[in-house]
Amino acid sequence: MSHSEANSDGWQDVPARDGIPGYSFFTRPLERPDPDNREYRLIRLQNGLVAMLVHDAAADKAAACVDIAVGSLYDPDDVPGLAHFCEHMLSKGSTPFPAENDFLSFISSNGGTRNAGTGGSFQDYWFSIKPSLLSEALPRLAAFFHSPLFTPTLTSREIHAVDSENKRNLQNDVRRILQLGKSLSIEGHPWRKFGTGNFKSLTEAARKKFEEEGVKPDDEDDSGDGGPVGRETRRRLVEWWKQEYCAGRMSLAVIGQESVDELTDLVVPLFSKIENRGLDPRPTIKDSPWGENEMGTIVFAQTVKDYQAFSISFIIPDQRHNFATQPASLIAHFIGHEGPGSVCAYLKKKGWLIDIAAYSSGRKREVQVFYVGGKLTREGYLHYEEVVLTIFNYLNLLRSQPSPLPSYHFDEYKTMSSVSFRFREKSQPHRYAADLAYDLLEPYPPEWILSGPCLVREWDERGFREILGVMTPERGRVMVMAKYHDPAVVGEDAKWENEKWYGTEYFVRKLDQGFLDKANLPNENTELHLPEPNPYIPENLSVEKKDVAKPAKVPSRIRQNDFSALWYKKDDQFWVPKAHVKLDIRSSMAYATPRQAVLTRLLSDLLDDDLSEVTYYAELAGLGYSVNNYRGGLLVSVTGYNDKLGVLLDTVMERLKNLVIKPDRLKVMAEQLDREYKNFYIRQPSLLCDHYAACVMMPVVWTPDVKLKEIPYITVEDVQRHKDDLLSKIYFEMLVTGNIKQEDAIHIAESVEARLASARVLPPLERPQTRSLLLPTGCNLVLENDVTDPEELNSSITYYCQFGDIADGRLRPILALIVHILKEPAFSQLRTVEQLGYIVATAFWSATGSMGLGIKIQSLKSPAFLEQRIEAFLTQFRDQLSEMSEEEFEGKKDGLAIRMLEKTKNLRDEASRFWNHIRSGYYDFLQHEVDANAVRSLQLRDVLEAYNRYVSPSSRARKKMSAHVVSQQCQDVDAVELEGRTYIEDESLFKASLVCSPAAVPIRRKYSALTSMDDAASGTSNGDAGAKL
């Protein structure tokens, strides 16, 4: 290409040529991770837009993201939520691509995904797609920003979509508390703004305008533009878009297989069309949201869920240009530490604290807030003043330290930031594109665009002390949260108010002088001290790299006996000094009764609690671990840098074997579990619907309400005895992957066996197995429950059509293709057109022994009405499916096959894929390849035949069950009576009448890289995820 010499700042101009506008590109090398073999080019268009172009020859998905340096903090004062409304409307059509669902349909049909988001100071729009179609997707993305239609007929619909999204979150405590904190800011400050918006906030300004003009706006008609109010709201939207959207405020990241030259030729003409309106390229909120009245206060807030928590927040100085030193992160490191001498360790010892977190929140161009907070026990709530004083004691301890701090504190932090960046692995292309696009908006030097967010380069004494200087009780805000506040805590004179947007009840008062005096005293708590040197910092970071013709696709079973099986794969493609060890300890004592299920859960929690001080150092050093209970036993996972991975695993196993249950910690864990089980039913109705549907389809499920009854009767002796019983007769299966030699993997397995050597062997017939319940042919069932939360506005439906056995290699690809084909039209019709609710999802439901089609909707409408609309759609779609052209059908198949064949992007993803297949009991490591080949060979008649049998509402052979969760506030005028349904009155009797599926049997295939696969029949199914139960 023809270009001028590079400028002194490293940028080089390229003149216009062959219809491609001029631009500049950065000539100097970028700091990058060691394994990153992608080619990067940073360019700057003449309209001010900056873009990072990434050539990845191995990419099996292309991706792109546009970020805009403006968000909801820039909403007009009288139209809260307008930026969010813009996000909804912008991607619904452009001049070159006017169809409202063009983008969604194109992306989803071709193996991709897309989304958009609105924050306080940014918005982003991203997609991923089949690599060969990047050149067709980018023009669609670019057109949103140079010629959006803001289609008038969609105005009313999208206002209601924003309103529905807001109603989904009205009972969400995180949202409620966040907005409360923002609302308690100086009057008129942008931080107070309500970013989500709702119907009232978006339309009230328009209504007031007409009232002031003495005009009564007509009601909405069928045009979809919202009538006069809708048209005025759209006018304000277009006006805001012109005032705030500008090429100079935008960044772009593109990842594709094309060379950087080809990507440049593709991007420059498309995105140069975006207008630069001469706006401030990086607008920043500079004024503090707090004045004297807002600081030095305590806020008592009422939560929806039953828990107690606290937070202390401080407005800190602008940190935008401290990316090389990150002093706020270092302070968070000290306050949020969980090792010996920490605030966390001390408060847990007192029995007051469940967890703690410290972090600097807010995007760099927004208000920057430093938070310290955590969950409290009931005793901790009653002693909240002592909890908060402990935080200030530690801050005073930090302030009293000599300058500088002992060097190892910073050196360890710097070392781990460097190691983490140096060996950073790939992530999903769309996530990486979104990260890059956001980082391009930050003030990093161009050389540091990739490394800037990660690397801590030098100690900043001034910045460290400056932040500590504002972290005083007089300049902070304390918040205490609980569902039920004790009058002895808040005071008898509390005057409760309601926050405007979410209705959160709260009470504010000034911190009294006595508290301030105590908080400002020098620390005298001898149990608080700074962390000791970290023994887990990795020292050996060498990678054993050997050239291979092709990476192995499956792990090998390299060791097996009656007691255990070891699966292993040496890393042969990611080349990082990391490893993953996953361990499944199976016991018939884990879940046989509700009592045993609770005991196993408490054992898991107590072990995690006992390990917390020790393992926190390991986590800081890039290691991670988890211990979770499930229906079949315990799952142990250890991941991270392989240098000291074995030491951490041995520590976990030693503690598991020799754990001594402490009465005070059991009390805390039991209280926490009691609260978790009670809060389980105060959640999104759509999640509850899925839960109820899943419970009906499984032979044995101990639900939270059943397990809750067991907690009061559990003693220290019970848990201690259960631990011994659980580990007295076991079988375990292990996976080791990564930068570990085979002999070292065997040694790890032998070490685990040695720790568990006192156990007897659990024979195959005694190992827990998972099965599904099979619905009878021709059934049309409804399971109905009420929403527990009386204030929840939404109802929900999960509509399920069971197909057959998940191991059916002929039917499984057909179901996958039906789900793939249905997703976009179901979303477009039920959410976009009919506006039934914000949550509309179509999914492939799978379990051991069964699979099916699931459709989920959360809505203000009644579940009965939603079921009627789902069935109307399924009936109509049958005709659409039968008329699908061969070209379109082939495109759908190709899009699904691309998704199925998507490669694992990093060691973690590969280990997770292997582990899921091992734990499923099917050991079908190449299922995705087999299914992709099967999908490509399907004919439309195959899909139609299955659709007519298993999905069509008119089918007499289908097996359908829907779960309804009904809001206590549901007053749907469109409610209907469903005919021809059988309502499940007694769930236990209903389940007793059903037939169980077979348990998982290993799928036998020929694996060139797998050892002794024919012997895999000794494995058994346990198909649960590793979540706490």
Side-chain angles (χ1 to χ4, degrees):
M1 75 183 87
S2 173
H3 48 74
S4 62
E5 293 297 319
N7 300 323
S8 60
D9 60 0
W11 287 92
Q12 189 164 318
D13 295 331
V14 178
R17 59 178 177 84
D18 302 328
I20 299 176
Y23 63 93
S24 302
F25 72 97
F26 189 68
T27 60
R28 296 173 186 167
L30 308 180
E31 288 185 342
R32 65 172 71 192
D34 285 3
D36 192 346
N37 58 0
R38 293 168 290 202
E39 184 179 358
Y40 293 85
R41 176 176 289 171
L42 179 62
I43 66 173
R44 185 170 57 207
L45 306 188
Q46 291 179 348
N47 61 7
L49 183 148
V50 291
M52 182 68 81
L53 311 180
V54 186
H55 161 61
D56 186 350
D60 53 6
K61 286 284 183 68
C65 179
V66 171
D67 262 45
I68 303 96
V70 68
S72 59
L73 292 178
Y74 300 89
D75 284 341
D77 291 339
D78 60 340
V79 194
L82 193 63
H84 186 202
F85 181 48
C86 178
E87 172 213 312
H88 275 245
M89 289 286 285
L90 190 78
S91 60
K92 294 293 191 297
S94 61
T95 301
F97 307 97
E100 66 174 271
N101 67 337
D102 171 80
F103 189 60
L104 170 62
S105 180
F106 180 75
I107 296 296
S108 62
S109 296
N110 290 291
T113 184
R114 91 304 165 251
N115 212 332
T118 298
S121 59
F122 79 102
Q123 293 184 296
D124 62 3
Y125 301 80
W126 57 261
F127 72 83
S128 67
I129 198 167
K130 174 182 176 181
S132 62
L133 293 178
L134 177 64
S135 61
E136 295 183 47
L138 280 177
R140 290 170 161 86
L141 180 67
F144 295 151
F145 305 99
H146 62 69
S147 54
L149 290 177
F150 297 116
T151 307
T153 55
L154 302 181
T155 302
S156 176
R157 185 191 301 170
E158 292 308 315
I159 289 175
H160 284 286
V162 170
D163 187 66
S164 179
E165 184 175 349
N166 177 63
K167 285 187 168 69
R168 179 192 67 166
N169 296 319
L170 284 177
Q171 295 299 97
N172 183 311
D173 278 319
V174 174
R175 297 260 186 166
R176 293 165 68 90
I177 297 301
L178 176 62
Q179 186 61 46
L180 173 60
K182 293 172 64 176
S183 295
L184 295 174
S185 300
I186 294 172
E187 189 70 37
H189 194 281
W191 193 240
R192 290 176 60 99
K193 291 183 178 179
F194 171 46
T196 304
N198 59 25
F199 181 84
K200 182 178 180 181
S201 74
L202 289 173
T203 60
E204 191 169 34
R207 295 182 186 280
K208 285 184 178 180
K209 175 179 181 293
F210 288 119
E211 289 174 3
E212 291 169 359
E213 294 174 353
V215 177
K216 184 176 180 180
D218 298 326
D219 294 334
E220 294 186 34
D221 54 31
D222 295 332
S223 67
D225 67 359
V229 170
R231 290 191 287 273
E232 172 61 15
T233 302
R234 179 185 177 278
R235 185 194 69 78
R236 291 293 302 275
L237 165 63
V238 175
E239 177 183 72
W240 181 86
W241 173 73
K242 290 179 179 178
Q243 291 172 350
E244 302 293 350
Y245 268 47
C246 168
R249 288 181 169 179
M250 295 183 186
S251 62
L252 167 69
V254 181
I255 302 170
Q257 293 180 347
E258 293 86 348
S259 70
V260 290
D261 284 341
E262 291 169 326
L263 290 172
T264 301
D265 290 349
L266 184 59
V267 163
V268 173
L270 291 171
F271 290 87
S272 293
K273 297 177 183 179
I274 303 171
E275 183 180 356
N276 186 321
R277 297 187 170 107
L279 306 176
D280 179 359
R282 302 293 182 265
T284 304
I285 305 296
K286 297 179 180 178
D287 296 332
S288 173
W290 293 356
E292 289 299 319
N293 292 333
E294 288 72 33
M295 296 188 291
T297 59
I298 182 168
V299 181
F300 296 94
Q302 186 172 346
T303 60
V304 174
K305 289 188 174 183
D306 183 11
Y307 67 93
Q308 294 94 30
F310 81 99
S311 71
I312 312 172
S313 51
F314 308 91
I315 305 300
I316 63 174
D318 186 357
Q319 299 295 303
R320 279 178 300 157
H321 297 286
N322 290 342
F323 45 79
T325 57
Q326 301 184 30
S329 296
L330 280 163
I331 293 174
H333 161 74
F334 286 113
I335 301 175
H337 207 282
E338 298 178 21
S342 66
V343 168
C344 181
Y346 172 74
L347 293 177
K348 279 190 173 182
K349 183 178 178 181
K350 300 286 285 187
W352 294 345
L353 186 72
I354 294 172
D355 58 40
I356 194 170
Y359 55 95
S360 176
S361 177
R363 300 289 184 171
K364 296 292 193 300
R365 292 177 294 101
E366 299 178 12
V367 173
Q368 293 171 53
V369 187
F370 192 102
Y371 286 101
V372 186
K375 294 274 182 67
L376 299 172
T377 64
R378 180 63 182 172
E379 283 298 309
Y381 166 78
L382 296 174
H383 292 83
Y384 82 86
E385 281 198 4
E386 290 98 315
V387 171
V388 174
L389 284 171
T390 302
I391 304 292
F392 284 111
N393 284 343
Y394 200 91
L395 286 169
N396 291 333
L397 173 67
L398 280 174
R399 274 189 281 265
S400 69
Q401 296 300 305
S403 300
L405 298 177
S407 61
Y408 72 86
H409 292 296
F410 176 74
D411 290 344
E412 288 180 354
Y413 200 82
K414 178 181 178 181
T415 295
M416 287 316 304
S417 78
S418 176
V419 170
S420 178
F421 175 71
R422 178 183 170 191
F423 297 108
R424 187 174 70 186
E425 299 176 77
K426 286 185 179 180
S427 58
Q428 289 290 341
H430 68 269
R431 291 177 183 168
Y432 190 45
D435 289 342
L436 287 174
Y438 177 76
D439 291 339
L440 287 168
L441 297 180
E442 295 298 298
Y444 302 123
E447 297 95 328
W448 293 1
I449 290 296
L450 305 184
S451 62
C454 307
L455 292 183
V456 180
R457 301 169 191 270
E458 58 190 40
W459 170 251
D460 181 3
E461 181 73 20
R462 184 200 60 78
F464 188 82
R465 299 290 174 179
E466 182 184 33
I467 295 174
L468 283 177
V470 303
M471 297 177 73
T472 65
E474 292 83 359
R475 296 175 66 93
R477 173 190 286 164
V478 176
M479 187 177 288
V480 178
M481 296 148 270
K483 184 177 180 67
Y484 306 106
H485 279 285
D486 192 319
V489 170
V490 300
E492 299 290 346
D493 60 342
K495 296 181 180 179
W496 294 89
E497 301 177 66
N498 292 93
E499 189 275 325
K500 178 178 180 180
W501 300 109
Y502 288 86
T504 305
E505 286 193 77
Y506 71 96
F507 163 59
V508 185
R509 69 168 183 239
K510 279 284 188 178
L511 292 168
D512 64 67
Q513 191 59 47
F515 177 88
L516 294 175
D517 292 341
K518 291 179 184 178
N520 285 313
L521 289 173
N523 173 58
E524 296 182 352
N525 186 340
T526 58
E527 295 190 51
L528 298 179
H529 58 78
L530 299 190
E532 298 296 330
N534 191 338
Y536 285 96
I537 298 293
E539 298 168 10
N540 180 6
L541 294 169
S542 61
V543 177
E544 186 185 9
K545 186 173 182 179
K546 294 181 180 179
D547 293 332
V548 294
K550 185 181 293 185
K553 296 179 179 180
V554 299
S556 300
R557 189 175 53 207
I558 60 173
R559 184 176 185 272
Q560 183 171 23
N561 55 40
D562 291 342
F563 195 51
S564 67
L566 170 62
W567 296 85
Y568 168 77
K569 179 178 180 285
K570 172 73 174 68
D571 178 33
D572 54 7
Q573 58 179 320
F574 303 114
W575 311 124
V576 289
K578 300 178 183 179
H580 291 252
V581 178
K582 297 181 181 294
L583 176 64
D584 181 356
I585 304 173
R586 301 178 194 169
S587 170
S588 58
M589 304 291 289
Y591 198 78
T593 67
R595 180 177 176 81
Q596 287 182 336
V598 174
L599 286 166
T600 307
R601 169 62 190 273
L602 285 170
L603 172 62
S604 171
D605 289 350
L606 286 161
L607 176 61
D608 199 35
D609 180 68
D610 187 68
L611 284 163
S612 60
E613 287 190 33
V614 176
T615 56
Y616 188 73
Y617 280 105
E619 291 175 15
L620 292 177
L623 294 169
Y625 89 100
S626 64
V627 179
N628 291 294
N629 67 300
Y630 80 107
R631 291 175 178 83
L634 292 173
L635 296 173
V636 179
S637 175
V638 181
T639 65
Y641 299 105
N642 56 273
D643 181 31
K644 298 181 180 178
L645 195 73
V647 176
L648 177 58
L649 177 60
D650 191 61
T651 300
V652 173
M653 296 308 299
E654 186 274 331
R655 291 289 182 96
L656 171 60
K657 181 63 178 175
N658 300 313
L659 181 67
V660 175
I661 309 302
K662 301 172 184 176
D664 58 333
R665 299 313 298 166
L666 175 60
K667 179 182 177 182
V668 171
M669 294 299 109
E671 177 190 320
Q672 185 179 348
L673 186 58
D674 179 275
R675 190 177 296 123
E676 179 186 315
Y677 286 159
K678 288 176 179 175
N679 286 333
F680 180 86
Y681 297 97
I682 308 296
R683 61 199 310 202
Q684 288 282 332
S686 59
L687 298 177
L688 283 177
C689 233
D690 284 349
H691 164 73
Y692 290 129
C695 287
V696 169
M697 303 309 302
M698 300 180 69
V700 178
V701 179
W702 306 128
T703 57
D705 56 342
V706 171
K707 291 184 285 189
L708 183 65
K709 299 172 184 176
E710 300 294 333
I711 295 178
Y713 303 101
I714 289 175
T715 66
V716 168
E717 293 75 20
D718 292 333
V719 182
Q720 195 74 55
R721 186 167 50 251
H722 180 70
K723 178 185 77 73
D724 296 337
D725 291 343
L726 185 79
L727 299 178
S728 67
K729 197 174 185 181
I730 62 171
Y731 174 83
F732 75 82
E733 198 154 18
M734 177 183 283
L735 170 69
V736 178
T737 66
N739 189 45
I740 290 183
K741 296 178 181 178
Q742 179 168 316
E743 55 266 32
D744 293 330
I746 293 173
H747 176 71
I748 289 173
E750 291 173 342
S751 298
V752 172
E753 278 194 7
R755 287 291 184 191
L756 302 173
S758 61
R760 296 162 58 199
V761 172
L762 184 70
L765 291 179
E766 294 185 33
R767 296 172 197 166
Q769 293 184 321
T770 299
R771 301 172 188 265
S772 297
L773 294 175
L774 303 180
L775 296 176
T777 300
C779 68
N780 192 348
L781 303 164
V782 176
L783 175 70
E784 189 169 275
N785 287 280
D786 290 331
V787 172
T788 305
D789 181 1
E791 301 300 318
E792 176 60 63
L793 301 176
N794 290 284
S795 299
S796 188
I797 181 174
T798 295
Y799 186 98
Y800 174 66
C801 297
Q802 194 174 77
F803 272 52
D805 192 338
I806 187 67
D808 187 336
R810 185 198 66 83
L811 191 57
R812 187 176 60 241
I814 294 176
L815 169 59
L817 185 55
I818 288 174
V819 172
H820 177 70
I821 293 173
L822 271 177
K823 272 190 175 182
E824 185 275 321
F827 184 88
S828 295
Q829 178 63 33
L830 301 175
R831 181 179 185 263
T832 306
V833 177
E834 297 191 30
Q835 287 287 293
L836 295 180
Y838 181 75
I839 297 177
V840 175
T842 306
F844 184 117
W845 273 47
S846 64
T848 304
S850 69
M851 60 182 174
L853 164 70
I855 298 177
K856 173 170 62 179
I857 303 176
Q858 181 171 295
S859 173
L860 299 177
K861 302 286 188 180
S862 72
F865 178 77
L866 298 176
E867 178 155 331
Q868 186 184 63
R869 298 315 307 152
I870 289 172
E871 298 207 330
F873 165 73
L874 292 175
T875 298
Q876 170 269 325
F877 186 76
R878 193 268 173 215
D879 295 333
Q880 186 177 334
L881 182 64
S882 65
E883 296 170 1
M884 185 174 289
S885 68
E886 182 176 350
E887 180 182 4
E888 184 180 2
F889 183 66
E890 290 298 318
K892 300 287 188 184
K893 293 195 302 180
D894 189 50
L896 176 58
I898 288 169
R899 281 192 176 183
M900 288 178 164
L901 294 173
E902 188 172 340
K903 301 172 186 175
T904 53
K905 301 299 185 293
N906 48 58
L907 193 61
R908 181 187 63 251
D909 289 351
E910 182 184 65
S912 295
R913 176 181 285 184
F914 292 158
W915 191 232
N916 288 337
H917 285 303
I918 291 168
R919 295 198 57 246
S920 74
Y922 292 108
Y923 303 89
D924 195 7
F925 299 106
L926 294 184
Q927 178 189 305
H928 60 295
E929 292 189 4
V930 173
D931 284 0
N933 289 333
V935 164
R936 284 185 162 133
S937 67
L938 289 174
Q939 302 296 315
L940 181 58
R941 63 176 178 272
D942 301 322
V943 176
L944 274 172
E945 180 182 342
Y947 190 92
N948 290 335
R949 178 178 177 82
Y950 298 109
V951 180
S952 177
S954 62
S955 170
R956 295 183 178 182
R958 78 170 184 157
K959 295 169 280 189
K960 171 264 172 188
M961 189 274 297
S962 58
H964 294 185
V965 173
V966 185
S967 167
Q968 297 181 37
Q969 299 197 28
C970 182
Q971 298 177 343
D972 185 4
V973 295
D974 296 319
V976 296
E977 289 292 331
L978 296 174
E979 298 180 355
R981 271 72 169 173
T982 300
Y983 282 78
I984 300 172
E985 303 292 344
D986 187 317
E987 186 176 331
S988 60
L989 286 178
F990 168 73
K991 290 171 69 169
S993 71
L994 300 182
V995 175
C996 282
S997 74
V1001 176
I1003 303 297
R1004 302 185 183 278
R1005 303 191 194 282
K1006 291 183 179 180
Y1007 295 91
S1008 59
L1010 187 61
T1011 302
S1012 303
M1013 191 59 207
D1014 287 342
D1015 296 330
S1018 62
T1020 54
S1021 167
N1022 51 58
D1024 301 303
K1028 297 277 191 181
L1029 294 171

